Amino acid sequence: MLSFSDLKQKIKTFYSEVKVEAKKVSWPDRKTVLSATGVVLAFSLIIAVFVGTIDAIFTAIFNFLISTFGHWTSS
C-alpha cells in the first residue's frame, strides 16, 4: 500500500515529467492559432446554417402534411 509520502513523491515526479514533455512540444505561433480558429468558427457557422435550413424545411413539410391530412389517431 502506498504511503502518503510515496504518493506525494509520485505526484511530484509526474508533474515534473509533464513539465519536461511540455517543453518538447512544438507549439504553434499566434498567426497559426488565429488562422485555425477562424477556420473552425467559419466551418461551424456553415454547418449551423445548413442544419438550421434542413430543420426549417422538414418542419415546413411536416406542418403542411399535418395541416393537409389532419392528425393521425391510433384507433
Side-chain angles (χ1 to χ4, degrees):
M1 181 162 170
L2 279 175
S3 68
F4 181 72
S5 61
D6 289 340
L7 181 62
K8 188 176 173 183
Q9 184 58 41
K10 283 186 178 279
I11 291 172
K12 280 184 179 180
T13 303
F14 173 76
Y15 281 109
S16 66
E17 290 174 1
V18 167
K19 195 174 179 181
V20 168
E21 290 299 320
K23 289 181 181 178
K24 294 179 184 178
V25 173
S26 173
W27 297 101
D29 61 351
R30 182 176 176 87
K31 182 180 177 185
T32 305
V33 171
L34 290 175
S35 175
T37 301
V39 169
V40 168
L41 290 176
F43 186 73
S44 298
L45 181 63
I46 290 168
I47 295 299
V49 169
F50 175 75
V51 170
T53 302
I54 297 298
D55 179 55
I57 290 169
F58 278 110
T59 300
I61 290 170
F62 283 114
N63 284 340
F64 170 75
L65 291 173
I66 289 171
S67 67
T68 302
F69 299 108
H71 296 281
W72 293 279
T73 59
S74 60
S75 30

